């Protein structure tokens, strides 16, 4: 009885329906999509009033360290004391030293160093393209690939990353193309 059902047209149709359902509900994300989703979650920990940024350092498909933007450990958060950059009307991409917080990329590098984790040859996943300060740190840390979601107004950072031979992937653009052309 079981054998005849599996060979019957009804059994074949049931298998096709089951396979179609599995494909629609169980689509596994690719590695970049997977790590970018984690990066978005990390960004939710940010204490910055202007922009929530998350960063994840990955090597051999393993997470090495994470970071989000905010004030140093033990120092009052901008959420509590206000934004110095807002008070001074500092534009994005300018005067990075006028900020209480560290960038997400900086915090990820610091976390890796604090725990003795080698990040040479790693990929950085970040919700925002790194600024010039973070770019220089990433270059010297040996990061070989940067996957980011949103651009950032820092042409010098782009040029230096390119000069260093680091692969840059605008995941936001890739994701948009995939939605338009499945």
């Amino acid at each position: 009885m079981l054998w005849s059902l599996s060979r019957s047209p009804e059994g074949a149709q049931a298998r096709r329906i089951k396979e179609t359902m599995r494909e629609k509900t169980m689509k596994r994300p690719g590695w970049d999509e997977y790590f970018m989703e984690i990066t978005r979650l990390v960004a939710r920990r940010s204490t910055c009033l202007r922009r929530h940024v998350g960063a994840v350092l990955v090597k051999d498909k393993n997470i090495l360290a994470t970071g989000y933007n905010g004030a140093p450990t033990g120092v009052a958060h901008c959420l509590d004391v206000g934004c110095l950059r807002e008070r001074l009307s500092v534009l994005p991409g300018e005067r990075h030293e006028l900020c209480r917080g560290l960038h997400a990329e900086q915090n990820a590098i610091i976390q890796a160093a604090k725990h003795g984790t080698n990040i040479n040859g790693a990929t950085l996943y970040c919700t925002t393209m790194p600024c010039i300060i973070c770019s220089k740190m990433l270059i010297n840390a040996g990061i070989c690939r940067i996957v980011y979601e949103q651009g950032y107004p820092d042409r010098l950072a782009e040029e230096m990353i390119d000069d260093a031979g680091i692969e840059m992937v605008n995941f936001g653009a890739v994701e948009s193309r995939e939605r338009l052309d499945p």
Side-chain angles (χ1 to χ4, degrees):
M1 176 81 169
L2 183 60
W3 179 82
S4 62
L5 180 60
S6 67
R7 300 256 186 199
S8 70
E10 293 83 12
Q13 182 179 3
R15 283 192 306 280
R16 280 193 303 275
I17 291 170
K18 186 177 178 182
E19 186 62 35
T20 301
M21 295 286 289
R22 183 179 300 139
E23 287 173 9
K24 287 183 179 181
T25 60
M26 299 295 290
K27 182 180 176 277
R28 286 181 77 191
W31 287 109
D32 284 349
E33 181 182 359
Y34 172 74
F35 289 121
M36 283 306 299
E37 275 296 315
I38 294 169
T39 303
R40 291 181 198 114
L41 180 62
V42 171
R44 291 176 48 196
R45 293 278 307 151
S46 171
T47 59
C48 179
L49 297 172
R50 287 181 132 189
R51 183 188 304 242
H52 291 216
V53 180
V56 176
L57 287 167
V58 174
K59 191 174 187 180
D60 299 327
K61 299 178 186 165
N62 291 291
I63 295 173
L64 304 177
T66 66
Y68 52 87
N69 57 327
T73 304
V75 176
H77 298 294
C78 298
L79 288 171
D80 303 324
V81 298
C83 177
L84 175 63
R85 293 175 66 81
E86 284 293 324
R87 282 197 304 270
L88 298 174
S89 300
V90 178
L91 297 173
E94 296 181 9
R95 304 290 313 267
H96 297 285
E97 75 281 5
L98 295 176
C99 182
R100 296 178 54 81
L102 291 155
H103 289 186
E105 304 93 322
Q106 294 168 340
N107 273 325
I109 291 168
I110 291 165
Q111 283 302 308
K114 191 174 179 179
H115 297 286
T117 303
N118 180 1
I119 60 173
N120 187 46
T123 294
L124 172 81
Y125 290 88
C126 196
T127 56
T128 305
M129 194 198 116
C131 71
I132 185 60
I133 295 170
C134 292
S135 295
K136 290 186 280 187
M137 293 174 72
L138 295 164
I139 291 166
N140 277 358
I143 301 305
C144 63
R145 184 170 181 253
I146 298 171
V147 181
Y148 67 96
E149 192 164 50
Q150 299 171 350
Y152 190 77
D154 198 329
R155 186 71 192 128
L156 182 56
E158 291 179 42
E159 290 172 11
M160 288 192 76
I161 289 169
D162 186 53
D163 286 350
I166 297 173
E167 178 188 357
M168 289 280 287
V169 178
N170 181 337
F171 186 76
V174 170
E175 202 173 37
S176 294
R177 281 194 304 271
E178 288 175 353
R179 278 194 298 268
L180 295 174
D181 188 28

